[in-house]
Amino acid sequence: MMASTEKCKGKSIEPTNRKVCFLVLLVSALLAFSESFAVAQTCLFWWESKGRNKPAAVSARNPVRLALYRGQFPLDGQGGDAVGESVHLNSVSAWIRSPDGTVLKAGLFQGEKTVALEFPSELNPAGLNGRYLAFARMDAGPVDTDAEGKDKMVHYYAKYLIGCRNKETAEGKRPDAFFKDAEKMPLEIGPLDTPGTGEKESFLKAGFQEARKKYRMKVLYNEKPLAHADVSIVTQSGWEKRVKTDAEGTFSITPIENHTKAERCLYTVCYKDPSTGEHHCSNLSVMITAPPPLWISKAGGFDFWATLGSGLFIVYVTWTIYRKARRDHKTMLEFERYRIGRG
């Protein structure tokens, strides 16, 4: 293998050696990709919403409960209520970022099956309207991720976006889809809001994405864009896609829909820091909802033209009545002048 590699570096390469070089490069790329996702495939770490799956903001009367799981992301057809392994309270740290930029320790509790977070609640109050970010971190410690007989530090991060709306509550002035805190969460992935392109996500739909709609996403490492990062997208129904970020750490994705229900989707990015050798694995959990049925858009168009037609008809009728009234009034005046002249 080394000899072939040396030949690749030479000025003249035989056709057979070109094939060997190509295979060496291809295998190396596949091994690098497999290593970056080795941790993700064996032990994911994600939030799961335990509430209604409609894209609407939470409130004091309608809180959301987030449960934290690890293991392999559950797919439909696995049987039972496959949700992954439970997480113990003493093994995880969590924070919440509010719409004004404040980051506070999250109040977790040990539920019946795993660690959970209820928002808003007495432990996690919401003093502002806007988008909140729930973030959890679990350090797995030294793990031999690539079977080389050498342990490496592995860190897991899980993020969830929450939109909050309460009456008589002020709006947050510094909403964001990223924590941008390298000490707590060096690696993170999130939506990139782009006004004017149809990709801007209202905070009322935070944590939700619409199928068949294009979204731009971004990956940050140590608060800077991470170029050429490997990202895995998988949905509960089994749809899966792998992409790479561009030079600015962004990528575009158009989720597909489940024709029977809304479903969970997990964006996962893994990165091995070459300077430290540590593995970082971060994800964002969202719900994929079906787009509005075609008949709704057609009905919306019909309603528009029906309303416009009705308005024009009312204007026409009103103008006709007004003109008739003026003609009658003019006729009466002429009749009175004629009658007075005769008299």
Side-chain angles (χ1 to χ4, degrees), residues 24-312:
V24 170
L25 295 174
L26 179 60
V27 171
S28 299
L30 289 175
L31 288 175
F33 185 83
S34 299
E35 181 181 353
S36 65
F37 274 93
V39 179
Q41 296 301 320
T42 56
C43 187
L44 289 172
F45 182 64
W46 75 93
W47 289 109
E48 180 183 339
S49 174
K50 296 293 186 181
R52 60 194 183 91
N53 296 328
K54 296 181 180 180
V58 302
S59 64
R61 293 184 178 182
N62 182 35
V64 63
R65 175 170 294 185
L66 301 179
L68 197 59
Y69 293 101
R70 64 180 177 182
Q72 195 167 13
F73 189 63
L75 304 177
D76 290 339
Q78 290 181 338
D81 298 325
V83 291
E85 303 172 9
S86 61
V87 177
H88 295 290
L89 191 60
N90 59 0
S91 65
V92 62
S93 299
W95 293 266
I96 294 178
R97 184 192 189 280
S98 68
D100 66 350
T102 304
V103 177
L104 298 175
K105 193 82 171 180
L108 303 177
F109 63 93
Q110 190 72 46
E112 296 180 2
K113 295 183 178 180
T114 187
V115 172
L117 179 154
E118 190 165 285
F119 183 85
S121 66
E122 293 183 1
L123 292 177
N124 305 297
L128 294 169
N129 287 329
R131 178 161 50 192
Y132 289 77
L133 280 69
F135 151 59
R137 170 174 178 154
M138 185 175 70
D139 297 320
V143 179
D144 184 9
T145 58
D146 45 21
E148 291 181 348
K150 185 178 180 180
D151 292 341
K152 304 175 181 65
M153 295 297 294
V154 179
H155 310 279
Y156 295 101
Y157 316 102
K159 188 167 75 173
Y160 199 91
L161 308 178
I162 310 171
C164 185
R165 165 67 68 183
N166 285 306
K167 293 182 179 180
E168 300 179 358
T169 302
E171 300 285 340
K173 301 300 183 181
R174 293 178 55 197
D176 205 330
F178 295 89
F179 275 93
K180 298 178 181 177
D181 189 330
E183 292 186 3
K184 294 182 176 65
M185 191 177 191
L187 181 66
E188 64 174 319
I189 184 171
L192 183 62
D193 292 345
T194 309
T197 63
E199 298 171 13
K200 183 179 176 75
E201 179 191 35
S202 167
F203 79 86
L204 293 175
K205 296 183 179 180
F208 293 82
Q209 289 184 344
E210 187 179 298
R212 291 189 272 150
K213 181 179 179 180
K214 188 177 181 180
Y215 291 88
R216 289 186 65 206
M217 309 290 289
K218 191 167 189 175
V219 176
L220 299 179
Y221 183 67
N222 288 336
E223 303 180 41
K224 297 179 181 179
L226 183 60
H228 312 303
D230 296 312
V231 180
S232 172
I233 305 104
V234 60
T235 65
Q236 189 178 353
S237 60
W239 179 76
E240 185 175 0
K241 188 175 181 65
R242 292 184 178 181
V243 298
K244 276 185 176 291
T245 59
D246 59 18
E248 298 179 350
T250 67
F251 66 93
S252 297
I253 186 70
T254 304
I256 66 169
E257 66 181 299
N258 186 321
H259 293 283
T260 59
K261 62 179 180 180
E263 63 173 345
R264 295 192 301 275
C265 175
L266 201 67
Y267 288 89
T268 303
V269 57
C270 292
Y271 178 66
K272 180 182 178 181
D273 191 325
S275 62
T276 63
E278 295 185 352
H279 282 272
H280 300 270
C281 186
S282 182
N283 67 63
L284 171 69
S285 179
V286 301
M287 291 296 299
I288 303 297
T289 61
L294 187 60
W295 66 267
I296 290 183
S297 60
K298 290 183 178 180
F302 175 78
D303 290 343
F304 170 77
W305 290 110
T307 302
L308 180 61
S310 299
L312 292 175

